[in-house]
């Protein structure tokens, strides 16, 4: 968690520290004088001129009282920092102090001590990020305005049936895209708000809202429409992101990943060929369990996922029946294997990216069609 007031605190410390020894010295002299007065060794002599000259014989010297030990010297008020906190202020507000506050089990600053407590205040901390995301959504939607359009309408697209356009892969794409946007926004929110509690929910709401806005462009396409199935999957993806960032230990143990299998064009950007390349999975990560920390099993993930095949228009024209593949398998966690101990910026970025992407041909799976392989 970034310290919000680290700069001012360091400046105040730099100003106060040079003054502290002088104040401590003054306190020492004052304490010594008081001790001397108590012992009767420093009585005033009003008859002695201020110049210190006197013809009278000097009184016999008495042994000076020993200086008080450092432990007995009470420092001057405020010389070495603020006074002790009262019980009611033992845990200060994050807006007014740099002192440590207890974090929630998920690593957030409790709402009562957070610097950004409300939804709109948290949103305001990522204005630039939201502008970029909104521009991206607009870039995806605006071109549709220059094509033939229809009045706003809804359309029931179905779920994972063989009679649907993309056998449900497009629905998982909606869930994953919303999940990924929520994760990105949460990362920025967590950084910009100092880990204020509620940032995960704020990120999820924003991600689902952006995707719902994007769906409006489908609602004016003649061959499409505003799909409540898409909206439901958007909410599901955002919800998983919220859970992953609020349930202790879940982020370390469970990941929602996408794998893209190269085709004849290596990568297809849009259309059915794009959907046919995609494999979606939940990965239970061995690295998230302390019992496997010293075992090679920490580099393996248990996978449960889905993809579809034989649903291209050319396949349907040939009478080929679409196939749905629900699979289980074991995958190699390359992020943990290659970058878990990396201290470089590139290594950390690769580690994060591989928490969302599964590298092709690094898994062994068995699916509901009887296929064993990648």
């Amino acid at each position: 968690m970034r310290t919000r007031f680290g700069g001012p605190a360091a400046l105040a410390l730099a100003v106060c520290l040079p003054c502290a020894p002088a104040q401590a010295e003054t306190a020492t002299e004052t304490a010594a004088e008081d001790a001397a007065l108590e012992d009767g060794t420093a009585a005033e002599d009003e008859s002695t001129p201020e110049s210190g000259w006197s013809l009278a014989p000097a009184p016999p010297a008495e042994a000076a009282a020993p200086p008080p030990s450092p432990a007995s010297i009470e420092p001057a008020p405020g010389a070495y920092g603020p006074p002790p906190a009262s019980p009611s202020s033992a845990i200060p507000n994050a807006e007014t102090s740099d002192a440590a506050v207890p974090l929630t089990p998920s690593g957030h600053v409790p709402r009562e001590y957070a610097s950004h407590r409300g939804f709109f205040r948290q949103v305001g901390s990522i204005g630039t990020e939201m502008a970029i995301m909104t521009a991206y959504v607009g870039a995806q939607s605006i071109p549709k305005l220059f094509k033939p359009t229809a009045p706003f309408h809804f359309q029931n697209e179905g779920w994972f049936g063989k009679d649907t356009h993309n056998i449900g892969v497009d629905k998982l794409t909606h869930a994953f895209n919303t999940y990924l946007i929520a994760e990105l926004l949460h990362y920025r929110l967590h950084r910009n708000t100092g880990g204020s509690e509620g940032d995960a929910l704020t990120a999820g709401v924003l991600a689902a809202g952006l995707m719902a806005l994007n769906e409006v462009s489908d609602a004016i396409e003649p061959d499409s429409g505003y799909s409540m199935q898409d909206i439901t999957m958007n909410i599901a993806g955002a919800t998983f992101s919220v859970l992953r960032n609020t349930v202790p230990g879940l982020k370390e143990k469970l990941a929602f990943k996408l794998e893209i299998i190269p085709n004849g064009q290596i990568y297809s950007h849009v259309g059915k060929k794009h959907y046919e390349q995609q494999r979606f999975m939940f990965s239970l990560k061995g690295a998230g369990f302390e019992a496997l920390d010293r075992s090679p099993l920490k580099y393996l993930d248990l996978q449960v996922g889905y993809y579809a095949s034989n649903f291209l228009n050319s396949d349907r024209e040939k009478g080929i029946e679409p196939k749905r593949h629900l699979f289980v398998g074991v995958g190699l966690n390359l992020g943990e294997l290659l970058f878990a101990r990396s201290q470089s910026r590139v290594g950390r970025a690769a580690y994060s990216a591989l928490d969302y992407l599964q590298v092709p041909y690094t898994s062994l799976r068995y699916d509901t069609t009887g296929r064993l392989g990648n």
Side-chain angles (χ1 to χ4, degrees):
M1 182 180 70
R2 182 179 60 180
T3 305
R4 181 176 176 84
F5 298 107
L11 181 60
L13 195 61
V15 172
C16 292
L17 280 181
C19 301
Q23 294 182 20
E25 185 178 351
T26 302
T28 304
E29 294 173 354
T30 302
E33 292 175 1
D34 291 343
L37 287 172
E38 291 177 1
D39 293 339
T41 60
E44 286 189 3
D45 187 357
E46 296 180 358
S47 63
T48 302
E50 292 184 0
S51 63
W53 291 93
S54 177
L55 298 177
E62 297 182 5
S69 63
S72 67
I73 302 175
E74 185 175 338
Y80 296 104
S86 62
S88 62
S89 61
I91 303 175
N93 189 297
E95 290 181 330
T96 59
S97 175
D98 266 347
V101 298
L103 301 181
T104 66
S106 62
H108 293 85
V109 177
R111 190 177 302 276
E112 58 268 30
Y113 308 118
S115 61
H116 295 69
R117 300 175 187 173
F119 174 82
F120 293 103
R121 191 168 184 183
Q122 291 185 359
V123 173
S125 73
I126 54 168
T128 300
E129 291 85 346
M130 282 302 299
I132 293 173
M133 288 292 184
T134 303
Y136 174 78
V137 170
Q140 302 295 312
S141 305
I142 290 177
K144 297 179 182 181
L145 299 176
F146 298 94
K147 299 178 180 179
T149 61
F152 185 98
H153 61 283
F154 290 86
Q155 180 165 318
N156 183 1
E157 295 182 348
W159 294 100
F160 294 85
K162 292 184 178 181
D163 58 340
T164 59
H165 287 295
N166 299 298
I167 322 300
V169 179
D170 57 325
K171 300 297 171 276
L172 290 174
T173 301
H174 271 270
F176 184 81
N177 288 346
T178 311
Y179 163 71
L180 191 60
I181 292 174
E183 290 286 284
L184 291 171
L185 291 177
H186 175 259
Y187 171 78
R188 296 301 300 170
L189 276 166
H190 198 77
R191 181 183 180 89
N192 292 355
T193 68
S196 296
E197 188 176 22
D199 58 5
L201 180 59
T202 298
V205 170
L206 291 175
L210 285 170
M211 292 297 288
L213 182 63
N214 181 64
E215 190 69 18
V216 173
S217 64
D218 289 343
I220 61 174
E221 289 188 300
D223 58 346
S224 185
Y226 200 90
S227 170
M228 294 309 299
Q229 288 87 358
D230 290 347
I231 296 298
T232 301
M233 296 303 286
N234 293 343
I235 295 173
T239 299
F240 182 67
S241 174
V242 174
L243 292 175
R244 197 166 182 254
N245 290 299
T246 54
V247 177
L250 185 61
K251 188 169 189 175
E252 291 75 23
K253 294 180 175 64
L254 190 62
F256 183 19
K257 291 188 175 185
L258 166 66
E259 177 181 308
I260 298 177
I261 301 295
N263 58 16
Q265 302 172 339
I266 306 300
Y267 177 72
S268 299
H269 180 62
V270 295
K272 290 180 176 292
K273 289 185 177 181
H274 171 69
Y275 292 130
E276 195 176 39
Q277 290 184 274
Q278 298 178 344
R279 314 280 192 268
F280 293 97
M281 69 205 73
F282 285 106
S283 294
L284 187 65
K285 301 186 290 184
F289 296 87
E290 293 184 7
L292 302 179
D293 191 52
R294 297 182 179 275
S295 167
L297 295 177
K298 68 182 292 187
Y299 302 116
L300 298 179
D301 296 347
L302 292 179
Q303 302 172 344
V304 177
Y306 177 83
Y307 69 98
S309 61
N310 299 339
F311 61 91
L312 302 179
N313 291 334
S314 58
D315 295 327
R316 295 179 187 270
E317 291 170 0
K318 295 176 183 177
I320 300 175
E321 184 179 2
K323 291 182 179 179
R324 296 172 292 190
H325 303 261
L326 183 64
F327 64 82
V328 294
V330 178
L332 190 61
N333 187 338
L334 289 181
E336 187 67 27
L337 179 63
L338 301 177
F339 304 108
R341 299 183 181 275
S342 176
Q343 299 299 318
S344 70
R345 181 175 298 181
V346 173
R348 293 195 301 269
Y351 182 84
S352 296
L354 290 171
D355 200 31
Y356 302 95
L357 299 172
Q358 182 69 30
V359 176
Y361 312 118
T362 59
S363 305
L364 181 64
R365 301 163 181 153
Y366 180 79
D367 66 33
T368 49
T369 67
R371 182 178 180 275
L372 177 65
N374 183 68

